[in-house]
Amino acid sequence: MVRVTNLVKTYQDGRARIPAASGVSFEVPAGRFFTLLGPSGCGKTTTLRSIAGLEKPDDGEIELDGVLVFSRHRGVHVPPNLRGIGMVFQSYAIWPHMSVFDNVAFPLRVGRGRVPRREIPDRVRRALATVRLSGLEGRPATKLSGGQQQRLALARALVREPKVLLLDEPMSNLDAKLREQMRLELRALQRHLGITTIYVTHDQAEALAMSNLVALMHEGRIVQIGTPREIYERPVNRFVTDFIGSTNLVPGRVAGPVGDALYQVETAAGPLVCAIRGGAAAGGEVIVSVRPEDVSIHERQRPDGAWEATVEQVVYLGECVDCRLTAGDVPLRVRAHPSIRVWRGDRVFLAFHPERCIAMRPDGGPPEDAPKWTSRDASEGQAPR
Ligand SMILES: Nc1ncnc2c1ncn2[C@@H]1O[C@H](COP(=O)(O)OP(=O)(O)O)[C@@H](O)[C@H]1O
Ligand SMILES: [Mg+2]
């Protein structure tokens, strides 16, 4: 398990103080794949490098596999090579002048990670087999394809059999197709090894596809932690909903409760029944988030509570039809099934599913509202594998 508690790191840039991590806390249950996701500059790398011991935080505690490796309060700062971690960076930092074998053997030959000479060939071969590079031991590292170099970096990170694997945007140098393939490969390998992994990316699709748990970061803080499904379907605020996938944001005002955690919201396009986390008072302003795939278009009959809308644009994408519409003055985007036949200028009806209409405070709501994933949940077997 990895536990990060109230991690604070501020950089000094000339006169300016740059708060890179401002109280980051999370737990990664043993063997799980955990992703720090967020826009560039939000503090992902700082957090990961602090866990690795490459940065010394200003405050907080870090525990790896039951061992306290950093605590400002208790004056603990274990050096990186004694933390039992393997790490792969964005630029995999492969040594171009070395063979594949020597690249992987390097961590076994230096410093305190050194192992007896005769053990090295076996361990290197095992690490290379794990990433399916067997047989390429003698090849110069530069004579590998992009995907192979990425796997070589992974073999080097795994050769000392670390308890925790840290990956910082390891695929950003690969082309889109290879990246998608490596996603599956890396995840299968991680699952096979059962190694606790923290993955850093700014790519939301990657985060959703690979992770057991995602922590979304914004300006040095974690805004929400949850399973990919929770993050996508139950965003806690506007930042999350905007960052993950695409969505329609409709301003409105709460009219009153209509059921269990459901509220009637008045909007410029018509009334809408919405879910509101933590409840809401009548008269309060909200922003309603509705995903394009959660709206259904009806050509003839008007379902209960449906809005009338005009089709502005239709783009056929094969797997779906991307429709732009307006309801009242409100622009909306809808992803419809390809069987739908609508044309520009058509009048149609739009139906919504209350659970899929998420109303949030316009200011975004405080991050403290974010539910925390606890190890208790994990031990009850609720964290998906
Ligand atoms: N060595 C440094 N000196 C000064 N500022 C830094 C340094 N490293 C990172 N920062 C700043 O800290 C913030 C967080 O950076 P980083 O952790 O690299 O974000 P991310 O990995 O999410 O893109 C950014 O504003 C960045 O410019
Ligand atoms: Mg980074």
Side-chain angles (χ1 to χ4, degrees), residues 11-13 18-20 38-47 55 168-169 200:
Y11 293 107
Q12 198 75 37
D13 189 11
I18 302 165
S40 172
C42 72
K44 307 181 294 294
T45 294
T46 301
T47 303
E55 298 286 351
D168 193 349
E169 315 230 9
V200 159

Side-chain angles (χ1 to χ4, degrees), residues 103-371:
N103 260 281
V104 180
F106 189 79
L108 302 175
R109 287 174 171 155
V110 296
R112 290 202 246 182
R114 234 180 349 228
V115 304
R117 207 179 229 286
R118 61 179 191 290
E119 283 182 23
I120 292 178
D122 250 11
R123 293 185 59 164
V124 170
R125 263 193 288 277
R126 235 181 310 154
L128 286 173
T130 307
V131 301
R132 297 192 299 111
L133 284 180
S134 298
L136 297 179
E137 286 83 354
R139 198 177 282 189
T142 44
K143 295 273 159 65
L144 298 178
S145 71
Q148 287 172 328
Q149 288 191 15
Q150 213 267 337
R151 302 212 302 261
L152 174 58
L154 203 54
R156 197 179 52 192
L158 292 171
V159 74
R160 279 169 61 186
E161 294 169 11
K163 301 236 166 55
V164 178
L165 184 60
L166 306 176
L167 305 168
D168 193 349
E169 315 230 9
M171 314 218 206
S172 44
N173 292 335
L174 306 179
D175 65 55
K177 198 160 177 193
L178 193 52
R179 213 157 52 213
E180 214 163 296
Q181 181 193 329
M182 286 302 296
R183 259 187 218 168
L184 297 175
E185 207 170 285
L186 175 60
R187 187 63 170 95
L189 174 63
Q190 182 273 337
R191 201 180 275 127
H192 171 72
L193 296 174
I195 188 168
T196 310
T197 300
I198 305 182
Y199 188 87
V200 159
T201 183
H202 65 272
D203 181 334
Q204 48 104 9
E206 214 168 87
L208 294 183
M210 296 177 78
S211 318
N212 295 126
L213 291 168
V214 178
L216 189 52
M217 287 189 76
H218 182 45
E219 296 179 348
R221 292 171 202 279
I222 290 179
V223 184
Q224 185 170 5
I225 298 181
T227 63
R229 185 181 285 276
E230 281 164 352
I231 296 267
Y232 190 83
E233 294 181 1
R234 296 259 162 270
V236 293
N237 66 26
R238 187 171 170 168
F239 170 76
V240 180
T241 213
D242 253 351
F243 191 78
I244 308 271
S246 50
T247 196
N248 296 290
L249 294 171
V250 184
R253 193 176 288 280
V254 179
V258 291
D260 197 18
L262 295 178
Y263 293 79
Q264 173 108 345
V265 171
E266 300 298 337
T267 79
L272 200 57
V273 177
C274 304
I276 305 183
R277 186 193 284 270
E285 277 182 40
V286 289
I287 299 270
V288 183
S289 162
V290 192
R291 302 274 185 203
E293 68 270 25
D294 290 333
V295 185
S296 53
I297 298 180
H298 299 259
E299 292 147 82
R300 281 176 211 92
Q301 272 177 337
R302 180 176 201 154
D304 258 3
W307 291 354
E308 201 172 339
T310 305
V311 178
E312 304 289 347
Q313 195 183 26
V314 182
V315 179
Y316 178 76
L317 293 172
E319 57 184 26
C320 71
V321 179
D322 186 13
C323 299
R324 312 284 167 139
L325 308 99
T326 46
D329 281 339
V330 179
L332 290 165
R333 189 169 166 193
V334 177
R335 258 172 87 98
H337 191 270
S339 63
I340 195 133
R341 302 284 160 141
V342 291
W343 280 269
R344 197 152 61 91
D346 279 0
R347 299 289 288 170
V348 295
F349 302 107
L350 302 180
F352 303 88
H353 202 289
E355 266 84 32
R356 298 289 188 147
C357 300
I358 310 290
M360 298 166 286
R361 292 221 306 269
D363 60 14
E368 294 80 65
D369 287 353

